[in-house]
Amino acid sequence: MKKEKKPLTKTQKIVLSTLVLGAVAAIGIHASLSGHNSSLPPPPPLPSPLHAPAKASPMVAAPSAAPRSAFTPTIHALPPARKSAIKAASENPDAAVNFIQSASQGTSWGVYSTAVLNHPHWFAVLYRTKVALRNLYSVAWVNPSAHLVVLGSVLGANGTPWTFPNAFLRNALRHGVHLPAVDQTQANNQNAAVHTAWETQGIHVGKKGPLVTVFFDPNSASAAHLYDTLSTYVRAGKMQIQWVPIGILRKSSLYRAEYLLSAPESQIVLKEDLAHFHFHADKGGSPKLYHAPTTMMEKIDGNANILANTGHIGPLSIFLCDQGHPQAFYHHIPSRQWPALVANLSDACG
């Protein structure tokens, strides 16, 4: 027998109606929210793995920030390997051979070179020049890393001339270049070269006192300083000076040197060049430059050769007689040292 269902009471009907209405309202609200979500902006992307903390990527450790003082700028510095490569190239015998050609502006050619014993970075170089369709050979001391070329003999700190290696001597003889072994004769020749430089004629300044000879480049600031220092001694009659111009610093140096020697009033022009030196432009004060005749060019070149025979060539060289013995100074002498030198100057060199 089928059991009859009891009719719902009034209270049950009210509860059931409330539940049904609540469910319908919930469905409507969800549908409304779903319709509006399509117009909302997308969510922001996840942080890039590059910005993730170190813990999020255990296989790649995040770099630690170095303090500012730990950074060393290297934009203007060559890497160590490059520096060593440049140094090795400049200390190669071939560099000494090539340097002769570049220093002479293509008028001389290096034949071969040999490292000089006991003198690091220096090479003895046999080189060739062509004069009147004839090949002439000579030797030079070359330091490529310091960009130096020295002609003639070179004296060490103890007064002993540098020696050429035996192999260099033999090869030089094959080209007709005789390089005697170092002995007292060569030392005497060196002394004679300094004496010859001291006697070289130039622009004579002063009327009394022992002679001092100065080889100078008209564009040398050191020569200008020396002129100012020695003028006091010249005016006091304590020395006379032969100013011998040479041209080695730049092309205008040759023109200035030629103008100084050929000017009618050379002493006035000398003062104009050195006493009124343009230190800001690093050039002589004389405003006039011109191409002198060939004979004057030969005179300037001859002065440079006389200086080279002493074992050195540079923008300033000083020759004097110290207690009767010729002395050479290849650099600027500070003014404080001149009183002692002047006190020992001699009128004649032995």
Side-chain angles (χ1 to χ4, degrees), residues 49-266:
L50 294 177
H51 301 288
K55 293 182 180 179
S57 181
M59 298 300 294
V60 180
S64 59
R68 185 177 181 85
S69 61
F71 289 99
T72 302
T74 58
I75 189 170
H76 296 299
L78 291 173
R82 180 60 178 160
K83 283 184 177 180
S84 61
I86 292 175
K87 181 178 180 182
S90 65
E91 294 180 356
N92 188 298
D94 292 336
V97 170
N98 295 333
F99 190 74
I100 284 288
Q101 182 169 345
S102 61
S104 66
Q105 300 181 351
T107 61
S108 301
W109 301 269
V111 179
Y112 65 87
S113 67
T114 304
V116 181
L117 299 177
N118 302 321
H119 299 287
H121 318 304
W122 284 93
F123 295 87
V125 180
L126 180 77
Y127 66 93
R128 173 176 59 88
T129 56
K130 187 177 288 291
V131 178
L133 302 179
R134 292 181 54 203
N135 287 326
L136 300 180
Y137 294 87
S138 189
V139 295
W141 308 93
V142 178
N143 186 329
S145 58
H147 298 89
L148 292 176
V149 175
V150 178
L151 305 177
S153 302
V154 178
L155 292 180
N158 59 355
T160 303
W162 286 8
T163 60
F164 293 102
N166 289 331
F168 188 89
L169 292 171
R170 289 193 297 269
N171 289 329
L173 287 173
R174 296 171 185 170
H175 293 274
V177 180
H178 178 62
L179 300 173
V182 175
D183 54 19
Q184 191 60 40
T185 301
Q186 187 167 349
N188 291 338
N189 291 339
Q190 181 75 20
N191 187 76
V194 173
H195 190 278
T196 300
W198 174 72
E199 291 184 324
T200 301
Q201 298 296 310
I203 303 173
H204 192 89
V205 177
K207 297 180 179 180
K208 295 181 180 180
L211 178 67
V212 175
T213 301
V214 179
F215 287 72
F216 74 104
D217 188 299
N219 287 321
S220 169
S222 295
H225 287 302
L226 183 65
Y227 183 90
D228 182 62
T229 299
L230 299 187
S231 293
T232 302
Y233 298 102
V234 172
R235 288 192 295 267
K238 295 184 177 181
M239 73 167 60
Q240 303 175 63
I241 306 176
Q242 288 280 7
W243 292 92
V244 183
I246 55 176
I248 62 172
L249 285 178
R250 57 184 71 99
K251 189 174 183 179
S252 65
S253 297
L254 179 60
Y255 300 152
R256 291 184 184 278
E258 294 168 351
Y259 175 63
L260 288 175
L261 277 185
S262 58
E265 298 291 339
S266 56

